[in-house]
Amino acid sequence: TKTSSIDVVTEMDIAAEKLITDFLAEERPDDGLLGEEGASTAGSSGVRWVIDPIDGTVNYLYGLPSWSVSIAAELHGEAVVGVVAAPMRGETYHAVLDEGAYAAGERVRCRPAPAFDQALIGTGFGYLTERRAAQAEVVRALLPRVRDIRRAGSAAIDLCDVACGRLDGYYERGLNPWDFAAGALIAREAGARTGGRPGDPLSGELAVAAPPGLFEPLQELLDNLGAWHD
């Protein structure tokens, strides 16, 4: 366990991160590294690899299909490449800055913005009791205003599902850089907007992704509902 009794880390999380970071250290020794399971190297090239060896570890532990390996490359702090592999879905999603988003080798685009009350919205919950209680109150207020809510358990996959049109929008509080670095780039390259509170970039405080036309009212409502604090 990590932050709480329900926040688990498996041997495979640690082994996967070591496999990825060892490869990158050999191939790109001057680059920085940031991994969920502790990898942290500053580097000198201006490139940093942001790695989530298993996003959705509880799903992995239970044999549910919504888990992924997420790797992004940042150049001077901006994500320029993102790859999310979802083995049990048999899909890999990827994007390069200004070159579009792809799933299984095919170009993908997010859905056009629906009417707000027809939007299917994905979200996720934190591991600490106080945060989960606050997030439940946001869902309680949001649910009657939209088509429905989905909670799959992998932020990286949720962002890719926005990119592929499987979700209309997504939001979550409490993400770490490795949770969203690749997925947010893929969503943006598919035509979605991403951000945090109004005027702020996507961050651990609040992450919102949706197509233009839905992004703005969703972001405003989440801000008003206090989705950015516990």
Side-chain angles (χ1 to χ4, degrees):
T1 62
K2 293 194 292 187
T3 61
S4 73
S5 62
I6 56 174
D7 185 9
V8 297
V9 58
T10 68
E11 291 180 4
M12 193 59 73
D13 288 273
I14 296 166
E17 181 162 301
K18 185 175 189 305
L19 181 71
I20 295 164
T21 56
D22 284 356
F23 175 82
L24 289 171
E26 182 176 337
E27 297 292 326
R28 304 276 307 183
D30 297 327
D31 293 352
L33 298 169
L34 178 66
E36 180 179 15
E37 305 310 331
S40 181
T41 304
S44 58
S45 67
V47 173
R48 181 175 76 160
W49 298 86
V50 184
I51 302 151
D52 195 336
I54 300 180
D55 186 56
T57 300
V58 173
N59 287 344
Y60 173 82
L61 191 65
Y62 276 74
L64 291 168
S66 287
W67 60 270
S68 62
V69 180
S70 174
I71 304 175
E74 296 177 340
L75 179 61
H76 303 303
E78 180 182 18
V80 294
V81 175
V83 179
V84 175
M88 289 185 72
R89 283 187 168 195
E91 291 182 336
T92 297
Y93 319 91
H94 76 272
V96 176
L97 183 65
D98 298 328
E99 294 186 16
Y102 294 82
E106 299 292 328
R107 186 84 179 254
V108 294
R109 296 286 299 177
C110 62
R111 283 178 176 269
F116 197 87
D117 63 0
Q118 296 298 302
L120 182 63
I121 305 297
T123 193
F125 304 124
Y127 292 111
L128 302 178
T129 300
E130 298 79 4
R131 176 163 294 173
R132 291 163 73 86
Q135 289 170 325
E137 286 303 305
V138 173
V139 170
R140 183 187 63 79
L142 179 62
L143 183 58
R145 309 187 194 198
V146 296
R147 181 189 294 274
D148 211 343
I149 300 287
R150 293 289 181 268
R151 192 272 198 263
S154 166
I157 288 181
D158 285 341
L159 287 161
C160 292
D161 279 346
V162 172
C164 295
R166 295 168 178 163
L167 290 172
D168 292 306
Y170 163 77
Y171 77 95
E172 190 164 348
R173 167 165 168 73
L175 297 182
N176 293 293
W178 46 80
D179 296 314
F180 62 76
L185 176 64
I186 293 166
R188 287 192 296 272
E189 288 296 315
R193 289 190 61 193
T194 67
R197 298 188 69 190
D200 292 342
L202 185 156
S203 71
E205 184 178 57
L206 181 64
V208 185
L214 175 61
F215 175 85
E216 297 82 1
L218 178 61
Q219 182 188 48
E220 181 180 5
L221 177 58
L222 291 169
D223 191 60
N224 291 338
L225 292 175
W228 49 275
H229 64 79
D230 299 335

